[in-house]
Amino acid sequence: MYPGDLVYHKEHEWVRVEGDVAVIGISHFAQDQLGEVVYVDLPSTGDAVTADETFGEIESVKSVSELYSPVSGEIVEVNDALSDTPETVNADPYGDGWMIKVKMSDASEIDALMSAGDYEAFVNE
Amino acid sequence: MSDQLYKTPLYEEHIALGARMVPFAGWAMPVQYEGIIEEHKATRSSAGLFDVCHMGQVRVFGFGAFDFLQSLLTNDLGLIATLGEAQYTLMCDEDGGIIDDLIVYHTGDLEYMIVVNASNRETDLDWMRARLAESVHAAEVEIADESDRTALLALQGPRALEIIGELAGEGFEPPARFTIAEARLDATPVLLARTGYTGEDGVEIVCHAAHAAGLWRMLLSFPEVTPCGLGARDTLRLEMGYPLYGQDMDRGVDPVSAGLGWTVARDKGPFVGSEAIERVREAGAQRRLTGLLVDGAVPRPGMSVLHDGVEVGKVASGTYSPTLSTGIATSYVPVALSEAGTVLEVAVRKKTVRAVVTRPPFVRSTSLSKAQA
């Protein structure tokens, strides 16, 4: 449920590091808590994001959550498919349900994030 | 889950099914099992099973029962003179404020069963008993709160009646729409009411609390039946524009403004609130409960409804419509802005989204609309 090649933020986003780019989505725990996702509101390519600050929001029938960026940098790609098929976030949170790709301005921010094991312990608290 | 919450006779069933439990009107209730949208669609396409044991049942009986209720409730009880008939009605205060919305079932000679909202059970009983005490019928009417020993399950959807038919056995004829009748499901004695809150055909099943879990399991043994929580109940009812007490109306609203003028009899004689409601009818309502189709976000209760950037109301009920894949809401807006097609906006956190005034039901084709066509 929490792939070992990812690192995790306390607001339940994950990061897959690909060179100097961070691919960002939300965890299995987050999508399960939300329930069936009906809207994903994402920023645009070229926008700046800051670590621990919001970059968008996600809605299910019953609730809405803000999305927090685990890293700082510039958005280089947005998963536009989620506007038509937001349920992909539930079905494949670590794959096709990714949300944004960020060219990191400070790769050391990754060190502050949790490993899969630490994150799993965190959500089970 | 807090220990102070009431538990329905089906609480252990919900836990066993892995339901997500939430507090609702003082009760621990399932909001969803597998998912609200999935459960919603199962009800629209096959059959959904709902625990609605939190609702209250009040039995009113005696030689004065008809006259007393006729003086207490807004609808004309004379319209359900035949045994088994049922009616949607309101209980109002002297100012025409809505105390509760109710279904009254004519369950027997000199006897009616009233289903009340869970959140209003005590208020309703106190009100009814106080009005009875000062009534000329005080000596000839009994009010009995049957809620604790009475269970209520709803089986709703296009397949609901065939499932009930299988359990009821040969020769079973389902009750007509908006009537109630005795039946046995397998061996369990029940009252079957052809009513519901989903817009689908189906039944609400009244039984003794001790039989609820057995009946629940028996109904779930049919692969066509999906257990559904309060989440789906809310999306289903709002797609039909059915009002929810506490969101769409309360003590501060009269029936005419709530769009429920059709439940207020004009010529049955005086009843509690009749003069106040008549005054609203003559003067015309200032605001009206209005349906909204909302783009690009889920409208939620309390959000501002805007016209040309100026707040003209608040979202009363709001949710996502799984059938239409869009936001739907109700709001009290000035009558001048309540015409279908009027374009308003809803303020959703940092943005505003388009909201078009639409006369409910938002979803027009269901097993119920087809059965009535």
Side-chain angles (χ1 to χ4, degrees):
Chain A
M1 278 192 277
Y2 305 108
D5 60 329
L6 308 181
V7 285
Y8 299 83
H9 188 259
K10 62 181 185 334
E11 297 290 347
H12 308 291
E13 289 77 14
W14 54 260
V15 175
R16 177 180 291 114
V17 179
E18 296 177 347
D20 60 352
V21 170
V23 186
I24 296 167
I26 65 166
S27 72
H28 166 77
F29 175 82
Q31 68 80 23
D32 185 59
Q33 288 295 306
L34 272 165
E36 297 136 306
V37 174
V38 295
Y39 292 110
V40 184
D41 200 357
L42 297 177
S44 305
T45 301
D47 288 357
V49 293
T50 305
D52 304 326
E53 292 190 6
T54 62
F55 69 85
E57 61 180 34
I58 184 165
E59 281 201 79
S60 65
V61 177
K62 272 283 167 203
S63 62
V64 58
S65 287
E66 296 202 288
L67 298 165
Y68 288 83
S69 182
V71 297
S72 307
E74 181 190 328
I75 297 175
V76 293
E77 199 177 337
V78 174
N79 188 356
D80 292 322
L82 295 182
S83 61
D84 288 332
T85 54
E87 64 274 15
T88 309
V89 175
N90 300 113
D92 192 9
Y94 303 114
D96 290 342
W98 69 275
M99 292 175 180
I100 55 172
K101 295 184 183 178
V102 174
K103 187 168 195 292
M104 290 181 281
S105 56
D106 180 1
S108 73
E109 287 170 348
I110 294 294
D111 301 337
L113 302 174
M114 285 177 266
S115 69
D118 289 347
Y119 178 70
E120 187 163 6
F122 172 69
V123 298
N124 287 331
E125 264 173 24
Chain B
M1 195 67 54
S2 159
D3 286 340
Q4 300 99 298
L5 292 173
Y6 296 115
K7 292 173 181 172
T8 79
L10 299 170
Y11 178 82
E12 299 298 335
E13 305 298 314
H14 304 318
I15 299 300
L17 287 166
R20 192 164 295 175
M21 304 298 286
V22 296
F24 178 84
W27 293 78
M29 296 299 291
V31 65
Q32 65 166 59
Y33 303 85
E34 294 300 321
I36 293 170
I37 296 175
E38 194 176 319
E39 293 161 23
H40 177 110
K41 289 183 172 172
T43 303
R44 288 262 180 266
S45 64
S46 182
L49 180 62
F50 302 77
D51 175 7
V52 277
C53 292
H54 59 309
M55 300 192 77
Q57 291 80 25
V58 179
R59 195 157 56 92
V60 179
F61 56 102
F63 286 101
F66 175 88
D67 289 330
F68 170 62
L69 291 176
Q70 190 74 317
S71 73
L72 185 72
L73 308 177
T74 61
N75 213 332
D76 183 358
L77 209 59
L79 296 173
I80 57 167
T82 303
L83 274 193
E85 289 182 324
Q87 150 183 102
Y88 180 70
T89 188
L90 303 175
M91 185 159 69
C92 290
D93 62 23
E94 288 85 351
D95 300 324
I98 302 173
I99 295 172
D100 202 1
D101 65 333
L102 317 161
I103 305 271
V104 180
Y105 296 96
H106 193 174
T107 42
D109 290 324
L110 309 178
E111 182 191 89
Y112 298 86
M113 181 183 75
I114 303 177
V115 175
V116 308
N117 280 297
S119 55
N120 293 333
R121 178 173 153 193
E122 294 307 321
T123 309
D124 288 2
L125 278 164
D126 290 349
W127 179 265
M128 293 170 82
R129 287 181 172 137
R131 297 293 76 73
L132 180 62
E134 64 192 25
S135 158
V136 297
H137 304 292
E140 16 164 7
V141 176
E142 297 286 332
I143 296 173
D145 180 5
E146 301 284 358
S147 309
D148 288 340
R149 62 180 175 191
T150 305
L152 187 61
L153 282 63
L155 185 70
Q156 303 273 299
R159 308 288 295 276
L161 286 181
E162 73 187 60
I163 292 158
I164 294 297
E166 274 196 47
L167 290 171
E170 267 180 53
F172 170 76
E173 284 291 328
R177 188 70 196 158
F178 256 81
T179 70
I180 192 167
E182 284 185 53
R184 276 182 186 267
L185 296 183
D186 205 7
T188 307
V190 301
L191 287 171
L192 277 183
R194 189 91 169 266
T195 47
Y197 197 46
T198 62
E200 295 298 327
D201 205 350
V203 292
E204 293 178 294
I205 306 165
V206 189
C207 69
H208 191 276
H211 293 143
L215 206 50
W216 174 266
R217 288 181 191 179
M218 190 158 64
L219 291 165
L220 279 186
S221 72
F222 288 79
E224 307 93 305
V225 178
T226 299
C228 298
L230 291 182
R233 186 169 159 83
D234 192 55
T235 54
L236 288 158
R237 69 95 192 164
L238 192 51
E239 282 189 349
M240 305 313 296
Y242 296 157
L244 172 63
Y245 193 88
Q247 287 190 353
D248 294 296
M249 70 276 201
D250 56 30
R251 199 80 175 250
V253 178
D254 66 87
V256 180
S257 304
L260 298 173
W262 61 275
T263 68
V264 183
R266 287 176 182 271
D267 48 13
K268 72 166 183 172
F271 54 93
V272 181
S274 55
E275 288 175 16
I277 296 168
E278 191 50 38
R279 284 196 296 274
V280 178
R281 271 185 170 149
E282 283 170 12
Q286 300 292 302
R287 307 173 75 77
R288 203 176 167 88
L289 190 66
T290 300
L292 300 172
L293 273 177
V294 179
D295 291 339
V298 183
R300 304 192 189 270
M303 287 179 171
S304 292
V305 176
L306 313 171
H307 180 248
D308 290 340
V310 178
E311 182 176 295
V312 293
K314 301 264 192 203
V315 171
S317 288
T319 192
Y320 177 82
S321 162
T323 305
L324 303 174
S325 300
T326 191
I328 53 175
T330 56
S331 176
Y332 282 92
V333 301
V335 167
L337 296 174
S338 67
E339 280 296 309
T342 306
V343 178
L344 305 173
E345 303 97 45
V346 175
V348 180
R349 296 174 292 280
K350 293 166 202 156
K351 60 185 178 185
T352 61
V353 296
R354 189 177 140 96
V356 179
V357 173
T358 305
R359 193 178 160 82
F362 296 106
V363 172
R364 294 190 178 270
S365 178
T366 66
S367 59
L368 183 58
S369 69
K370 285 169 197 152
Q372 288 173 332

